Amino acid sequence: MKITVLGTGYVGLVSGVCFAAIGHDVTCVDIDDSKISLLQGGEIPIYEPGLSELLAKINKSSINFTSNLSLALHECEVIFLAVGTPEGEDGVADLSFIFEAAKQIARSSTSYKLVVTKSTVPPGTNFKIRDLIRRENSNIEFDIASNPEFLREGCAISDFMEADRVVIGTENKRAEDVLKSIYTPILNGGRFGSGKAKFLATDIITAELIKYASNSFLAAKICFINEMADLCEIVGGNVNELSYAIGLDKRIGDKFLNPGPGFGGSCFPKDINAIVNFAKSNNCHLSIIESTLKSNDHRIKKMARRVLSKLDSLGGKKITFLGLAFKGGTDDVRCSPSIQIITVLLQLDNTIKIMASDVCAIEGAKIALRDLPVKFEADMYLACADADLIIIATEWEDYGKIDLLKLRESTKASTILDLRNVLNAKEVRSAGFVYKCIGIT
Ligand code: UDX
């Protein structure tokens, strides 16, 4: 199938490369010429494990990159919209890139098109896309569909190839059949994945809502375990054991129950804000989802105060943050709890000296923290040398496997505050550190 993907961000690029890998003829389009020339040279402009290797394995004739949308639209039958839907005024999703793409599609298409929205959009947006295309070009033959993605940064390829489900929302059988044929290689398994993905065809509104419901529920699960961690700290419980125990209940499941400093990333905060405001505009009050945001925002300040309290007891002022990305496995610092905690800390006490390190997010963090007096060091041991307090703020595997004896030799810090519970308390203490973490006193 000839497929065009508009947008080569985390979602568009992974989807385009994976569509080509499973046998489709793909054209990826972006307005950013520099990104396109990188991609034409076989380079990946984002950090996504395995993506450049997968691109290199694909037959060059199966995927191409261009900034020329009308050329890209000329022969394709299916267009996936994977452009950004950033948070706009008062939390409502900004759909300007979506509608601009729809206008271009209307103006450039000369044959049947299936216009599939993969970007996360408020319910009803696909109908607005349909009406806009009709207004722009009453002669075009097309259908619309919703196909939300559930890709996590850092494991997006396996989330695509080993999807739990493929969700589509359509208005007719033709659109449904086209999408089913596109995803058949991963639905059947064999060369691509185990074929366990369920293909769920529903209506457009439900498909658009499924994405928001998914992300809101996952975010709420994270806030839940973080609040349980708070309670454990007060009454002397062990949140790691609590999390494991409740996760054994199949109705709860053991995923997304890792306590931490709060959730970040380019999706959860944006999507939760969008659905809460969308519901409000429909006189519906999503109190549980709204409280998720409040709980998460409050947690950042709580974590900053916890760091300060540790510093005060140490009488020192030098902190090393191990971890700047919003989670392990990515270079993305958008809404990173680590970045937010550093910012709040320096607002509370501007005499603190911060040294920051990350496995691959330092460049992004330098931009995010450009107005603050933060030093950076890529080597985690060097970064800790002069610290009074070491904070583990991102759940990189590298930090979970840090050589504690080497660290002991490398730093004067007496205390490690593990905001991700990635270290083993006994091992840390036997290496000669005071160890503090989340949800265990
Ligand atoms: C999320 C959704 O998981 C994905 O399905 C959707 O398509 C896009 O948004 P992503 O933002 O890449 O994916 O990150 P995710 O792995 O969900 O983690 C989000 C945040 O929650 C991170 O800050 C992470 O550190 C935190 N988290 C995650 C926890 O604190 N505890 C957990 O148990 C899991």
Side-chain angles (χ1 to χ4, degrees), residues 40-152:
Q40 287 168 339
E43 285 183 70
I44 297 287
I46 57 170
Y47 177 90
E48 184 57 52
L51 194 57
S52 50
E53 293 81 355
L54 183 58
L55 179 60
K57 278 199 285 195
I58 292 168
N59 184 320
K60 292 284 172 287
S61 63
S62 300
I63 188 166
N64 67 85
F65 303 95
T66 179
S67 52
N68 182 334
L69 178 57
S70 47
L71 184 73
L73 292 176
H74 192 57
E75 289 165 13
C76 75
E77 186 181 354
V78 186
I79 304 154
F80 283 89
L81 297 185
V83 293
T85 54
E87 193 169 328
E89 296 289 308
D90 52 58
V92 178
D94 172 357
L95 300 174
S96 53
F97 297 114
I98 287 275
F99 295 142
E100 182 51 35
K103 270 190 204 136
Q104 299 276 339
I105 289 166
R107 291 173 192 156
S108 313
S109 302
T110 52
S111 58
Y112 171 81
K113 296 286 178 269
L114 175 57
V115 183
V116 187
T117 302
K118 192 166 265 303
S119 304
T120 303
V121 293
T125 301
N126 275 282
F127 298 135
K128 293 178 182 167
I129 292 170
R130 178 192 58 197
D131 297 348
L132 186 153
I133 293 175
R134 275 199 187 128
R135 273 198 311 277
E136 288 291 320
N137 180 350
S138 54
N139 303 322
I140 181 175
E141 191 203 359
F142 72 102
D143 285 314
I144 54 167
S146 167
N147 174 215
E149 49 76 29
F150 305 100
L151 308 178
R152 288 167 295 164

Side-chain angles (χ1 to χ4, degrees), residues 10-11 14-15 149-153 156-157 159-160 211 267:
Y10 284 94
V11 172
V14 170
S15 303
E149 49 76 29
F150 305 100
L151 308 178
R152 288 167 295 164
E153 290 180 28
I157 294 173
D159 282 349
F160 185 101
K211 171 67 182 177
C267 297

Side-chain angles (χ1 to χ4, degrees), residues 149-153 211 215 218 222 256-258 262-265 267-268 326-327 337 395 420:
E149 49 76 29
F150 305 100
L151 308 178
R152 288 167 295 164
E153 290 180 28
K211 171 67 182 177
N215 272 6
L218 290 167
I222 293 165
F256 278 59
L257 283 175
N258 305 322
F263 60 77
C267 297
F268 282 174
F326 81 89
K327 67 170 186 175
E395 68 281 37
R420 294 290 187 164

Side-chain angles (χ1 to χ4, degrees), residues 267-279:
C267 297
F268 282 174
K270 164 181 77 77
D271 293 351
I272 291 169
N273 251 323
I275 195 64
V276 163
N277 288 295
F278 172 79

